[in-house]
Amino acid sequence: MNTSDLNIVADLGSGNENRLLEHTITRTSRVSAQLTLQWRSEYATHIDSQFADNLNKWRDNFPPPIAMQLEGCNTGDVITHRFSAGEALDEFSTANVHTVKPQQFNRNFSSQIRLEPRLGRFYPRGIFDNIAGNYSSNYQPCRIIGIEDDAITTDFNHPLAAKTLDVETRIISIWDGGQQHGGRCNDSIDMLISNGPGMQARHDHSATDFWSDEPFSRQDPSPDDEFYARPRLVDHLDKTCSQQIGELYRQLLPHDGRILDLMSSWVSHLPQQFAAAEITGLGLNPDELAQNPLLAEKVVHDLNRNPLLPFADDSFDGIICTASIEYLVSPMDIFSELGRVLKPGAPLIITFSNRWFPPKAIKVWGHAHEFERIGLVLEYFINSGEFEQLHSYSLRGLPRPREDKYAGQLLLSDPVYAAWGIKR
């Protein structure tokens, strides 16, 4: 996928009505931009995007290859640069790989859950005791890359330290910033790569251990049809997040094929371009499905009671699952079924955010970092053996819609996370 096609569709002027817009960046300009990172793991392509507002060429830190191109740029211009490993962030160093005794892993680091060391998983660095220069309040992530009976090996390097990174800066809007008198200094690369990107990939071709500690248990093990018996005709994602998910679907799905909306509700998050598509909704609540105007067929089916799909082989030209993957207790069986009912060459697209019903979400979902959850979904794809051309996508930092009921409490829109693959 070309990231220049992943258009921002939110109202980026919200709350900024007093800005005097300009067309060209000068020394005093302020800028809003979409920063996008592309990189590869051994089995997938990854795109991580961050919306950045109120950037300033004079005050903020940009890598020289990008900074040199900023002045004179116009609205809509795109700056791209490929950074070799160690160029955009600290180079990988073996000095940041530590082998410690098992008792140095503080299993009581969290007051809420007892933690266990698991291969490939990420933990706050402060969970490790007696490492020189480390401290218990250090919440920067580190990864466990080796476990033996008498030793644990943890990697304090950034997970992208050894990767080639393609960075894109798309200019969204420019306005006059007036006289500059200091202010907070932002680092554009740090904004883009901090707190997540890189955590969704395996380490050294080894599958991440998401499977220990009863990962598919739930706080509320009661039948799902009881929990979802009452229709919830509310928006589970804010408008901007929903629009971005719809834009992703617009680019990846055929507009006139037969589409399965898995774990569907009263909203399918599909844009108007899918008016000609034949959309089947499979969900738990018949009243919610009845309210969805896009559905040509409505199927009430509890996947956690019966993971077998009531459809023939090769039935669909595409399948989507929006903000629901975290509730599946038998995802491996269901991904095999999804492969069965998809036509060869058709996409399966899983999207989610950071909001869910905790009682019904699987245990591993609540215990994982947001970007580790992308890695968990990718493992579903890999383990099924049904899919190829795997991709992941994230988008963070967009402004929250002014009319959203949480606009007074939250500045940012719900993040978008996605993983998809093509049926072999």
Side-chain angles (χ1 to χ4, degrees):
M1 171 181 289
N2 188 340
T3 58
S4 63
D5 294 332
L6 295 176
N7 300 313
I8 290 179
V9 296
D11 178 8
L12 300 181
S14 298
N16 301 320
E17 294 80 359
N18 296 324
R19 291 177 175 177
L20 180 61
L21 295 181
E22 300 177 333
H23 295 290
T24 303
I25 297 176
T26 65
R27 189 179 184 277
T28 62
S29 295
R30 302 290 180 93
V31 172
S32 62
Q34 184 179 7
L35 310 175
T36 301
L37 171 72
Q38 292 190 70
W39 55 282
R40 296 188 63 86
S41 60
E42 66 272 16
Y43 55 88
T45 298
H46 309 275
I47 303 172
D48 298 308
S49 198
Q50 172 79 40
F51 176 72
D53 194 29
N54 206 20
L55 294 176
N56 176 257
K57 180 179 181 294
W58 166 79
R59 180 196 64 200
D60 296 325
N61 184 36
F62 297 88
I66 294 176
M68 289 188 297
Q69 301 179 64
L70 273 177
E71 191 159 346
C73 276
N74 300 317
T75 301
D77 283 352
V78 177
I79 299 170
T80 60
H81 186 76
R82 171 165 290 183
F83 293 90
S84 59
E87 184 182 1
L89 63 161
D90 290 340
E91 189 175 7
F92 178 88
S93 173
T94 56
N96 291 324
V97 178
H98 306 278
T99 299
V100 301
K101 297 178 180 179
Q103 55 267 35
Q104 289 178 252
F105 182 92
N106 181 5
R107 290 167 170 77
N108 299 314
F109 183 83
S110 170
S111 60
Q112 299 177 331
I113 58 173
R114 180 175 172 82
L115 296 168
E116 295 292 339
R118 301 302 179 198
L119 187 66
R121 296 294 304 276
F122 285 87
Y123 302 85
R125 295 181 186 181
I127 203 169
F128 288 98
D129 298 329
N130 301 319
I131 292 180
N134 193 33
Y135 42 91
S136 61
S137 58
N138 188 350
Y139 281 85
Q140 288 184 275
C142 64
R143 185 173 216 165
I144 291 181
I145 60 172
I147 299 179
E148 305 291 342
D149 291 340
D150 58 350
I152 297 173
T153 302
T154 180
D155 186 359
F156 279 23
N157 290 286
H158 191 284
L160 294 175
K163 296 289 186 183
T164 298
L165 308 176
D166 290 318
V167 175
E168 175 184 286
T169 303
R170 184 194 300 173
I171 308 302
I172 304 299
S173 62
I174 306 167
W175 67 96
D176 182 13
Q179 293 296 317
Q180 309 296 308
H181 299 288
R184 178 180 176 180
C185 179
N186 299 299
D187 186 295
S188 62
I189 293 295
D190 186 65
M191 293 173 67
L192 184 54
I193 67 169
S194 64
N195 197 28
M199 297 173 70
Q200 64 267 56
R202 290 176 170 182
H203 170 75
D204 195 26
H205 305 274
S206 299
T208 302
D209 182 6
F210 292 112
W211 320 123
S212 299
D213 311 312
E214 300 181 325
F216 303 117
S217 63
R218 300 186 291 178
Q219 294 179 26
D220 180 1
S222 64
D224 287 349
D225 54 3
E226 296 178 7
F227 184 85
Y228 294 99
R230 178 177 59 85
R232 292 175 169 86
L233 303 179
V234 297
D235 293 319
H236 300 297
L237 303 170
D238 71 66
K239 181 180 178 181
T240 296
C241 180
S242 180
Q243 286 178 324
Q244 290 294 338
I245 288 173
E247 175 63 15
L248 196 64
Y249 291 158
R250 183 190 69 79
Q251 295 178 48
L252 296 176
L253 289 167
H255 294 177
D256 57 356
R258 189 182 182 201
I259 306 298
L260 174 61
D261 182 2
L262 191 74
M263 305 176 79
S264 184
S265 178
W266 71 295
V267 177
S268 288
H269 306 277
L270 290 165
Q272 289 299 319
Q273 285 86 348
F274 290 89
E278 180 186 342
I279 302 171
T280 297
L282 182 149
L284 270 175
N285 188 285
D287 295 329
E288 290 184 10
L289 296 176
Q291 292 293 320
N292 190 326
L294 293 180
L295 301 183
E297 181 183 8
K298 306 171 182 67
V299 179
V300 177
H301 184 82
D302 185 348
L303 290 171
N304 284 338
R305 188 187 297 271
N306 179 11
L308 299 179
L309 294 171
F311 307 112
D313 296 356
D314 303 335
S315 292
F316 295 100
D317 300 291
I319 298 177
I320 60 173
C321 180
T322 310
S324 297
I325 192 68
E326 60 267 30
Y327 304 117
L328 292 178
V329 299
S330 302
M332 307 304 185
D333 294 335
I334 291 167
F335 267 65
S336 294
E337 277 290 284
L338 294 174
R340 179 183 66 80
V341 302
L342 266 177
K343 296 177 182 178
L348 167 61
I349 311 166
I350 310 296
T351 60
F352 52 93
S353 188
N354 58 1
R355 297 166 61 182
W356 64 88
F357 297 125
K360 283 299 183 181
I362 57 175
K363 178 180 176 182
V364 67
W365 196 266
H367 291 181
H369 186 281
E370 291 184 15
F371 275 74
E372 281 189 293
R373 294 170 192 151
I374 306 174
L376 173 64
V377 176
L378 286 172
E379 290 291 343
Y380 295 165
F381 278 98
I382 294 170
N383 290 340
S384 75
E386 297 281 350
F387 299 92
E388 60 186 4
Q389 300 179 44
L390 302 184
H391 302 268
S392 79
Y393 174 68
S394 70
L395 173 60
R396 302 177 292 166
L398 286 172
R400 201 167 196 87
R402 286 174 295 176
E403 69 277 10
D404 188 82
K405 64 179 180 179
Y406 297 114
Q409 306 170 43
L410 302 170
L411 293 176
L412 301 180
S413 169
D414 300 326
V416 176
Y417 301 113
W420 65 91
I422 304 300
K423 168 66 186 298
R424 295 182 187 275

